[in-house]
Amino acid sequence: MLFNYDNPLVVQKDGTIIVEVNHKQFPIIQPMLSQMAILEKATLSTHTYKLSPYSIWSAQTQGIQVTEIINFLDEYCKFPLAQAVVQYVEDQYQRSNSIHMEKNQGNCVIIFKNEQAQQLLLNDHTIKKLVTKENENWYFQEKHRGEIKAHFSKYGYFINDQIGYDKGQQLNINISKTVNLRPYQVEAIKHFYKSGQALGGNGIIVMPCGSGKTIVGLGIMEKVKEEVLIITSSETSMKQWQREILEKTNLKNEDVGIYSSSLKEVKPITIASYQMMVYRDLETKQFIHLPLFNKRNWGLIIYDEVHLLPAPVFRTTAGIQGKKRLGLTATLVREDGKEEEVYSLIGPKQYEVGWKGLENNGWIAKTLCKEIRIDLSEQELQLYFESNQQQQFKIASTNSSKVEVIKHLLKQHVGQPTLIIGQYIDQLVDVAKRLKLPMITGKTPQKEREDLYEKFRLGDISVLVVSKVANFAVDLPDAQVAIQISGAFGSRQEEAQRVGRVLRPKQNHNEAYFYSIVTRNTKEEHCSGHRQLFMLEQGYTYEVEEWLS
């Protein structure tokens, strides 16, 4: 290709891709970029992506061919594509399909399609102990299936597992005829199940909050028709799953159990939380609830909000590779950076639907994202400069001037269901008292919490102050406005979840608003830029308003 300065991409030799976000072709190329590369940095004028073993493996699992990746980069690049980039893409793509697990006369075998990979991996002392060579074949015990995958992923190799699954206890579950699946939900189910083939039945589906991930879970349960263990993020989310199952399928109360601190039911469909799974006995220090994974002959395990999967559950997952595994999430971002290691055991990304695409089709609300920047008072500014970095972040986050901005926004959105979301309890208590608003925190009793959620849903309460307990899987379908007054440093994951609180489709004008109030020229403003990365990748932009007090 010749030089074409009108194109939107600059592709560097190390696999860094710089994109002009204001280019007319950006909406066309952004979906493909997010499938094949990882967003690392975003400004108002450019996005910086990076090609990686994980991103190219994800593209391969979605059926994108190596020639499509190379031709795409070549077509939209300003300068001729460096041979080093072409070579890197070809090498990583070959890696992504170079190792298979299969059954050979009832025995588990690793098939290497790349001699270099075989030599590298079989020199690893841990892997050597897990495999045996016989008649030019490399055999292993099925119980080591997950452990081998985890070790291979550390070398940048992802295994195509075609061994299949153990048969779970049969469960006759059917979705009610009154439930109409949306086209993208049908596609998600199809991509995961793959007509019951061994290549299907494991992996991750990425969909925005409010787009019906739970319905997709029910659709996959209907396809599998075996007993299910669901692990999710909170007790509220557990009850949300239970409600959806009982309302939208033929199952009855006796079929669906809640496994919590107060009620330990183990039924054909059992719903537990990550908190329960990682609870340790005070004396023995053992994870006393992890045996739930083997309490029944589960055919399918669903990891809701899979990006939150904690280490003990992750390690247990290595030992249950014979079970079908479904991860559901709005974002693959893990704040610990262990995406490759963790997701290698759940399975590849099987399906992702873009947020903007759903918005354009009316399946989720059209959302305005705005960052409002304010100053510290003279007294707070003095305290800020006298403090260490961690204290500076909290001082900026709990800026007392934010209350005036909240008042202004509430007047602007009178009568619209509004969430005020924050990180610091003392800040939330102050806001709730000064504005005479109801509040939910982690210490709010479950019954009181559910009552407030119900009143919010019914419209009896129009404004609710919530701590980070509302970040995940809280069913608030009528939330139209979210005002973020503080957050967890630069957490992209949290930003995505909080925006997700307002994405569910609205009646009449299908519009929603997400405001983030930050203190300008401070640690909080710096972290805010990092928090917004995920939403920018989804095609959203943040308007910036400079607040003058």
Side-chain angles (χ1 to χ4, degrees), residues 34-193:
S34 67
Q35 287 181 307
M36 56 181 267
I38 297 168
L39 181 66
E40 291 194 329
K41 188 171 114 179
T43 68
L44 291 175
S45 59
T46 63
H47 287 185
T48 303
Y49 288 82
K50 185 80 172 187
L51 293 167
S52 72
Y54 178 72
S55 69
I56 293 173
W57 174 69
S58 294
Q60 184 259 338
T61 61
Q62 293 180 71
I64 299 171
Q65 300 300 311
V66 65
T67 50
E68 291 180 78
I69 298 174
I70 294 169
N71 291 343
F72 170 85
L73 294 173
D74 191 53
E75 180 179 354
Y76 291 103
C77 192
K78 290 179 182 291
F79 310 106
L81 194 61
Q83 186 57 37
V85 175
V86 175
Q87 189 66 51
Y88 179 80
V89 171
E90 289 177 342
D91 288 349
Q92 294 303 326
Y93 197 93
Q94 184 186 48
R95 274 175 169 247
S96 71
N97 198 32
S98 62
I99 306 172
H100 292 244
M101 281 183 171
E102 299 176 1
K103 275 281 182 77
N104 183 352
Q105 296 181 346
N107 297 312
C108 296
V109 61
I110 300 175
I111 307 294
F112 290 97
K113 297 189 175 181
N114 181 304
E115 190 175 333
Q116 183 181 359
Q118 178 175 327
Q119 290 177 352
L120 172 68
L121 295 166
L122 294 178
N123 278 330
D124 182 286
H125 293 298
T126 301
I127 295 171
K128 271 184 179 179
K129 294 176 183 176
L130 300 176
V131 299
T132 56
K133 187 176 182 182
E134 186 178 327
N135 297 328
E136 300 304 316
N137 289 323
W138 293 96
Y139 292 97
F140 63 95
Q141 295 180 43
E142 192 161 353
K143 66 180 181 180
H144 296 314
R145 191 170 166 184
E147 192 176 354
I148 291 171
K149 288 181 185 179
H151 278 290
F152 278 27
S153 72
K154 292 175 182 177
Y155 289 93
Y157 285 91
F158 300 93
I159 293 179
N160 295 281
D161 188 344
Q162 299 175 35
I163 290 175
Y165 308 98
D166 303 328
K167 190 72 175 171
Q169 182 64 41
Q170 187 174 350
L171 177 66
N172 184 29
I173 175 173
N174 294 294
I175 294 180
S176 303
K177 292 181 179 178
T178 55
V179 177
N180 294 314
L181 294 174
R182 299 168 182 172
Y184 64 86
Q185 293 170 335
V186 173
E187 282 299 303
I189 295 165
K190 177 181 166 185
H191 276 74
F192 176 86
Y193 190 61

Side-chain angles (χ1 to χ4, degrees), residues 351-367:
Y351 184 78
E352 180 172 11
V353 59
W355 296 40
K356 272 295 182 180
L358 295 186
E359 180 186 292
N360 292 338
N361 286 292
W363 296 119
I364 59 177
K366 183 178 181 180
T367 304

Side-chain angles (χ1 to χ4, degrees), residues 208-428:
C209 300
S211 61
K213 292 192 295 292
T214 307
I215 299 296
V216 170
L218 297 184
I220 289 169
M221 289 158 64
E222 181 183 52
K223 289 285 187 184
V224 172
K225 290 197 183 302
E226 295 173 9
E227 293 191 355
V228 185
L229 173 62
I230 301 169
I231 313 173
T232 188
S233 56
S234 67
E235 192 164 335
T236 302
S237 180
M238 289 160 62
K239 292 186 177 179
Q240 178 186 331
W241 269 95
Q242 184 185 44
R243 184 170 64 248
E244 289 285 288
I245 292 167
L246 295 177
E247 287 179 359
K248 294 183 170 66
T249 75
N250 61 319
L251 297 184
K252 308 298 181 188
N253 276 309
E254 57 266 26
D255 300 314
V256 185
I258 294 287
Y259 191 92
S260 65
S261 55
S262 58
L263 190 65
K264 294 178 176 59
E265 300 174 320
V266 181
K267 296 182 179 180
I269 292 184
T270 298
I271 309 165
S273 70
Y274 292 121
Q275 292 92 325
M276 281 295 292
M277 292 295 97
V278 299
Y279 176 79
R280 289 178 186 262
D281 182 89
L282 293 176
E283 293 183 3
T284 65
K285 306 299 182 186
Q286 297 296 309
F287 297 104
I288 59 177
H289 300 299
L290 284 179
L292 181 61
F293 280 96
N294 299 304
K295 283 274 186 180
R296 293 179 75 101
N297 185 19
W298 312 114
L300 172 67
I301 296 177
I302 296 178
Y303 302 88
D304 192 19
E305 309 291 357
V306 68
H307 59 282
L308 298 176
L309 189 70
V313 179
F314 161 64
R315 286 192 290 268
T316 300
T317 302
I320 53 169
Q321 294 294 296
K323 308 290 185 185
K324 297 179 185 72
R325 305 171 305 284
L326 167 64
L328 295 171
T329 184
T331 168
L332 286 171
V333 173
R334 284 180 64 93
E335 300 305 332
D336 61 6
K338 293 185 177 180
E339 289 90 350
E340 296 189 10
E341 185 179 357
V342 173
Y343 301 148
S344 68
L345 294 180
I346 304 297
K349 181 173 69 174
Q350 295 285 14
Y351 184 78
E352 180 172 11
V353 59
W355 296 40
K356 272 295 182 180
L358 295 186
E359 180 186 292
N360 292 338
N361 286 292
W363 296 119
I364 59 177
K366 183 178 181 180
T367 304
L368 168 74
C369 297
K370 180 180 281 190
E371 180 178 293
I372 301 174
R373 296 174 181 170
I374 64 172
D375 290 319
L376 286 165
S377 67
E378 288 187 14
Q379 184 179 356
E380 288 171 320
L381 187 62
Q382 181 66 35
L383 182 60
Y384 180 87
F385 285 123
E386 292 172 354
S387 303
N388 63 37
Q389 288 193 7
Q390 190 169 2
Q391 290 169 332
Q392 285 181 340
F393 181 81
K394 183 174 181 181
I395 291 166
S397 297
T398 56
N399 184 344
S400 60
S401 301
K402 291 187 178 185
V403 175
E404 292 306 311
V405 183
I406 296 170
K407 286 180 182 178
H408 171 78
L409 293 173
L410 292 179
K411 285 180 183 177
Q412 192 175 320
H413 295 284
V414 172
Q416 293 176 299
T418 301
L419 298 175
I420 299 172
I421 310 174
Q423 172 79 6
Y424 298 102
I425 301 301
D426 51 351
Q427 178 191 33
L428 296 173

Side-chain angles (χ1 to χ4, degrees), residues 381-529:
L381 187 62
Q382 181 66 35
L383 182 60
Y384 180 87
F385 285 123
E386 292 172 354
S387 303
N388 63 37
Q389 288 193 7
Q390 190 169 2
Q391 290 169 332
Q392 285 181 340
F393 181 81
K394 183 174 181 181
I395 291 166
S397 297
T398 56
N399 184 344
S400 60
S401 301
K402 291 187 178 185
V403 175
E404 292 306 311
V405 183
I406 296 170
K407 286 180 182 178
H408 171 78
L409 293 173
L410 292 179
K411 285 180 183 177
Q412 192 175 320
H413 295 284
V414 172
Q416 293 176 299
T418 301
L419 298 175
I420 299 172
I421 310 174
Q423 172 79 6
Y424 298 102
I425 301 301
D426 51 351
Q427 178 191 33
L428 296 173
V429 169
D430 179 61
V431 169
K433 282 183 178 178
R434 289 171 66 177
L435 302 182
K436 296 181 175 58
L437 298 171
M439 179 178 70
I440 292 174
T441 70
K443 292 183 178 179
T444 306
Q446 186 66 25
K447 180 66 170 65
E448 181 183 345
R449 193 181 301 187
E450 290 174 5
D451 288 344
L452 287 172
Y453 286 152
E454 185 63 17
K455 287 178 181 178
F456 189 85
R457 274 194 287 270
L458 295 173
D460 298 337
I461 294 172
S462 63
V463 183
L464 192 57
V465 178
V466 290
S467 70
K468 62 183 180 181
V469 297
N471 284 357
F472 306 108
V474 177
D475 191 11
L476 294 169
D478 295 320
Q480 190 166 5
V481 181
I483 303 172
Q484 176 175 253
I485 58 175
S486 55
F489 294 95
S491 174
R492 296 165 290 168
Q493 174 195 107
E494 184 176 77
E495 189 90 353
Q497 293 294 336
R498 288 180 173 180
V499 174
R501 300 278 71 84
V502 298
L503 284 182
R504 290 182 175 85
K506 312 291 185 289
Q507 292 182 349
N508 302 321
H509 299 293
N510 192 21
E511 296 177 345
Y513 305 86
F514 179 80
Y515 298 100
S516 183
I517 309 173
V518 302
T519 304
R520 67 167 68 92
N521 300 323
T522 64
K523 301 290 182 189
E524 186 188 30
E525 184 182 342
H526 173 75
C527 288
S528 177

